[in-house]
Amino acid sequence: MRGRERERAEVLHLLAGAPGPGAHVLLVEGEPGIGKSILLAEAAAAASALGTGVATGRADELERMMPLAPLLSALEETTTRAAVARSAFPGGPGLLMWLAERVSTTLERRAAAGPLLVALDDLQWADPVTLMALRTLPSRLAGHPLAWLLARRTTGDDDGERLFGLLEQEGATRIALRPLDGAAVARVAADALGAVPDAELTALAAQAAGNPALLLALLTGLREEGAVRVDTGVARPANAAGPAGESAPAGAGRTAGAGEAGEPGDAGDAGGCGRVEATAGFAGTGAVAGTLPRRLHAAVRRRLEEVSPRTRHLLEAVAVLGRSFCPSYAAELLGEPPAALLPALDEALAAGLLVVTPEELAFRHELLWRSVLETVPAPVRQALRRQAERVPPPAAPVAAALIAWDEGRLSRGLELAREAAEPLPGIPGPSGRRDPQPRAVLAAMLIDLGLLDEAEKITAGSAAEAAGRPAWAAAVLVLRARLDLAAGRADDAAEQAEAALATAAGLDVPDLACLALSALGAAALRAGDLPRAVRALASGQAARSAGTPYGRLRAELTAGRIVEARDGATAAMTRLGGLYDGLAGHAGVLTGEPAAAAWLVRTALAAGDRRRADEVVAAAEDLAGRNPCLPGPPVAAAHARGLRDRDPAALGRAAAGYDDPWARASAAEDLGVLLGAAPGRRDAAVGTLDGALSGYGGVGARRDAARVRRRLRELGERRRHWERVDHPDSGWSSLTGTERAVCDLVSQGLTNRQAAEQMFVSEHTVAFHLRQIFRKLGVRSRVELARLAALSAAGPDGG
């Protein structure tokens, strides 16, 4: 437990409070191998020494289909008892309720005998039922002498993060285990080697980047293989020369000190596009034997076994490019489009094997990279190097443009995207371009900036280039969906997004599915089709967890808007915590739609979170300051600031300054609401809201228009919103548009009040329309209506 004094004190504090009532919960998180399991083992030992009972368990990736497995294991509830219960509850929900109640009862019984520590490890692999149980059990059993110690990895674990966040809000203490600092690394090295390491071994230990598992595997392995000798109390390398024919890798003359280990690229590798590392030998002067110990290779192999074979093979191939590498160059090397590498790269990032640097991807630890490279057979390694030397570095502006955009340097990102989209002389193919990716990236940026005419021309050209290439064809459909949405054609946008999903089906490109579902959800929400938006939200969960940050953050924004529309601002804030926290580093998410910053501020204020609102305003104003030549960011910043400060002048500037008609209407609505609350400003409020209503109507934003009509009704003004259309007397085709909307919401299980809230009408109005629906369809209950709606969805017409 070197370097973990503060964390150990937190554990002792937890155990000291366990004899008394209250929710005693300690949350531990960190990267793989950082020491979570050791801390839990120490806690269990300390609890036993204090006379506290201990129940320990861990989640297992192979047992994720077994509900409550970690808790049942910790409490020694055998699977035989669960099997007996299964016969009494043939239905799944009954069994789950029985198991949950059994866990609660067992905990109460154990705690009645004395204080109890429940320590659960590896919760990144916990099944959903376990996560739900852990969400409620600590508060439910707060009156018992119970302490909870829960641990998880921080890589690729959205469900675990949500659980930890909710428990922290209720008073749990969260500990993030960081890499060991230089002093702690030196003490661990001295313990493992039985002597103080010399400068050479200290530099080698620094390549573990403060990760205790890698550090101990390295040092213990060196000692086991006789690669270290102790002389006058100092541990030194046993051999001074590296293996014949293998020189040290780039950076051999500069090894990172223990205090600076951990940042990708710090070990002196030149890194990146167009560079191939020469060897897997030790960094440093070459005094240590040139191959890493077998124990370290075994530890790394166990980490690699957690990912798919394709991801392992990709890591082995890109290792020859150095510790860090350009994804586009890796794609060139492997002869595949960059989109084809996304699933494997995403899996490696989620597993904590790779990290994102400002311009490239990198192996998380230098020892990890070197172990991967060493275990590639030498002939294969040499062949990969020769191939890499023949592949020219790709045009880096595409990757650089996306990085600049994500960081909020929009002008620079647009400049680089234009450069990347220029024809390449001497390259065969339509328009002299290698592939349509640069033009697609440029078109997406132009849509963000509202330059729709230019974006339309580029999208049309990309469509021709994408012929016969399903992934790029789907990408073009996503662009068309976004163009339609920006142009006020919400229904057309939804159709294009669904076509993109159909084209992308089976391609295994999560980011593409992520963007398509985001466009579908946004279009459905704007068109007022909340059930369709909710379906997009549900079907996009897997894509959002697997997508890259570029697509994932934009999809999360859309998902947050759908949740807010369905469940309110507080529910949306719970979901969007990561997006709010990441705005400083991912300001480009504010450009995904024109009034994104204003919506984030409005939602935070509605949930009573002024701090988050302030953070959004700061991010929007910083974005505007870094892009003084672009008209959009300053207007968006004024809109966000006007909402936060209740400043009618700022909202007025936004309403007049937006190029996007939907954003103009949004700012006008916010201004109308503010004026309506001010004494003597009713007429101005009505005029402003009428302008917003007209703006929403012009772009097909039916849900937003309905909300504005409700605001006008509250001011004593009614606005007609229906058209006379002849309908049959019965059947589905007899339903009006409003009746269909009511039918959809009620069929989803919403009450009259909930449906009224979604449609911005009164509960009485919903009841009236529901009676009309029952009469026209010949049904007598909501159950019959839901069944008939389901049958109608499966066929062309249920009437």
Side-chain angles (χ1 to χ4, degrees), residues 199-207 248-261 265-269 282-286 366 370:
E200 180 86 11
L201 288 175
T202 297
L204 178 61
Q207 294 181 20
R254 176 194 182 277
T255 53
E260 62 181 358
D266 262 2
D269 60 273
F282 274 5
T285 62
E366 187 167 357
R370 292 181 49 211

Side-chain angles (χ1 to χ4, degrees), residues 341-546:
L341 301 187
L342 283 177
L345 291 175
D346 286 342
E347 185 180 19
L349 287 165
L353 298 169
L354 297 179
V355 293
V356 179
T357 70
E359 294 186 356
E360 300 178 320
L361 298 179
F363 286 84
R364 180 177 285 272
H365 307 100
E366 187 167 357
L367 284 179
L368 173 64
W369 161 61
R370 292 181 49 211
S371 176
V372 172
L373 186 57
E374 271 193 24
T375 52
V376 176
V380 177
R381 193 162 64 232
Q382 293 300 327
L384 286 170
R385 287 173 182 154
R386 286 193 294 269
Q387 180 181 351
E389 289 166 0
R390 292 194 297 268
V391 176
V398 173
L402 289 171
I403 291 167
W405 198 265
D406 186 51
E407 293 174 349
R409 295 181 287 119
L410 307 183
S411 297
R412 179 57 177 161
L414 187 62
E415 177 186 352
L416 290 169
R418 290 190 186 282
E419 177 185 337
E422 285 298 313
L424 299 174
I427 299 297
S431 304
R433 293 179 178 84
R434 218 180 309 200
D435 61 53
Q437 184 199 20
R439 289 162 62 79
V441 169
L442 176 58
M445 292 179 176
L446 292 168
I447 295 170
D448 279 355
L449 296 176
L451 304 174
L452 303 187
D453 289 342
E454 185 180 357
E456 177 63 49
K457 292 178 182 178
I458 292 174
T459 300
S462 297
E465 294 175 2
R469 307 170 75 173
W472 294 126
V476 169
L477 287 169
V478 172
L479 290 173
R480 292 201 179 281
R482 295 191 59 204
L483 277 166
D484 283 335
L485 192 61
R489 301 184 293 269
D491 293 328
D492 291 343
E495 291 180 7
Q496 294 283 3
E498 288 191 330
L501 287 171
T503 304
L507 293 179
D508 194 21
V509 185
D511 211 48
L512 186 56
C514 193
L515 291 169
L517 286 163
S518 177
L520 176 58
L525 193 61
R526 187 171 295 186
D529 191 346
L530 183 62
R532 189 181 197 181
V534 170
R535 289 193 295 271
L537 173 69
S539 60
Q541 180 62 44
R544 283 195 305 279
S545 62

Side-chain angles (χ1 to χ4, degrees), residues 360-760:
E360 300 178 320
L361 298 179
F363 286 84
R364 180 177 285 272
H365 307 100
E366 187 167 357
L367 284 179
L368 173 64
W369 161 61
R370 292 181 49 211
S371 176
V372 172
L373 186 57
E374 271 193 24
T375 52
V376 176
V380 177
R381 193 162 64 232
Q382 293 300 327
L384 286 170
R385 287 173 182 154
R386 286 193 294 269
Q387 180 181 351
E389 289 166 0
R390 292 194 297 268
V391 176
V398 173
L402 289 171
I403 291 167
W405 198 265
D406 186 51
E407 293 174 349
R409 295 181 287 119
L410 307 183
S411 297
R412 179 57 177 161
L414 187 62
E415 177 186 352
L416 290 169
R418 290 190 186 282
E419 177 185 337
E422 285 298 313
L424 299 174
I427 299 297
S431 304
R433 293 179 178 84
R434 218 180 309 200
D435 61 53
Q437 184 199 20
R439 289 162 62 79
V441 169
L442 176 58
M445 292 179 176
L446 292 168
I447 295 170
D448 279 355
L449 296 176
L451 304 174
L452 303 187
D453 289 342
E454 185 180 357
E456 177 63 49
K457 292 178 182 178
I458 292 174
T459 300
S462 297
E465 294 175 2
R469 307 170 75 173
W472 294 126
V476 169
L477 287 169
V478 172
L479 290 173
R480 292 201 179 281
R482 295 191 59 204
L483 277 166
D484 283 335
L485 192 61
R489 301 184 293 269
D491 293 328
D492 291 343
E495 291 180 7
Q496 294 283 3
E498 288 191 330
L501 287 171
T503 304
L507 293 179
D508 194 21
V509 185
D511 211 48
L512 186 56
C514 193
L515 291 169
L517 286 163
S518 177
L520 176 58
L525 193 61
R526 187 171 295 186
D529 191 346
L530 183 62
R532 189 181 197 181
V534 170
R535 289 193 295 271
L537 173 69
S539 60
Q541 180 62 44
R544 283 195 305 279
S545 62
T548 63
Y550 175 81
R552 185 168 61 244
L553 289 172
R554 290 173 179 238
E556 280 302 315
L557 179 63
T558 302
R561 298 198 68 157
I562 296 171
V563 170
E564 187 272 337
R566 183 187 61 187
D567 302 323
T570 301
M573 289 296 295
T574 300
R575 183 184 192 96
L576 292 175
L579 188 147
Y580 279 95
D581 290 338
L583 282 178
H586 299 284
V589 72
L590 296 181
T591 68
E593 56 180 85
W599 182 85
L600 289 169
V601 169
R602 190 184 305 112
T603 304
L605 292 175
D609 195 335
R610 174 80 181 196
R611 179 180 64 84
R612 297 279 201 193
D614 290 341
E615 290 172 354
V616 177
V617 172
E621 293 186 331
D622 180 65
L623 187 67
R626 284 191 285 172
N627 300 277
C629 298
L630 297 176
V635 178
H639 191 178
R641 185 174 61 255
L643 271 171
R644 183 196 62 182
D645 299 342
R646 299 182 61 80
D647 180 354
L651 292 176
R653 289 195 298 274
Y658 275 121
D659 289 330
D660 182 89
W662 182 88
R664 278 200 307 273
S666 175
E669 180 186 359
D670 289 326
L671 177 58
V673 171
L674 186 59
L675 294 174
R681 305 299 302 274
R682 177 188 175 281
D683 290 345
V686 169
T688 304
L689 289 173
D690 274 335
L693 181 60
S694 176
Y696 286 141
V699 295
R702 293 188 285 273
R703 175 181 171 80
D704 301 304
R707 185 179 59 248
V708 173
R709 283 192 294 271
R710 185 193 65 183
R711 298 192 190 283
L712 285 166
R713 287 197 301 272
E714 292 169 351
L715 293 173
E717 298 286 332
R718 289 188 173 273
R719 298 292 181 266
R720 177 176 174 174
H721 61 280
W722 61 87
E723 296 179 359
R724 179 69 180 176
V725 178
D726 291 330
H727 292 283
D729 293 331
S730 62
W732 285 106
S733 57
S734 71
L735 300 184
T736 66
T738 303
E739 288 167 352
R740 283 187 177 273
V742 170
C743 182
D744 285 342
L745 293 171
V746 170
S747 297
Q748 294 283 325
L750 273 67
T751 65
N752 286 7
R753 175 176 296 180
Q754 291 169 329
E757 291 172 352
Q758 295 297 336
M759 297 179 65
F760 306 105

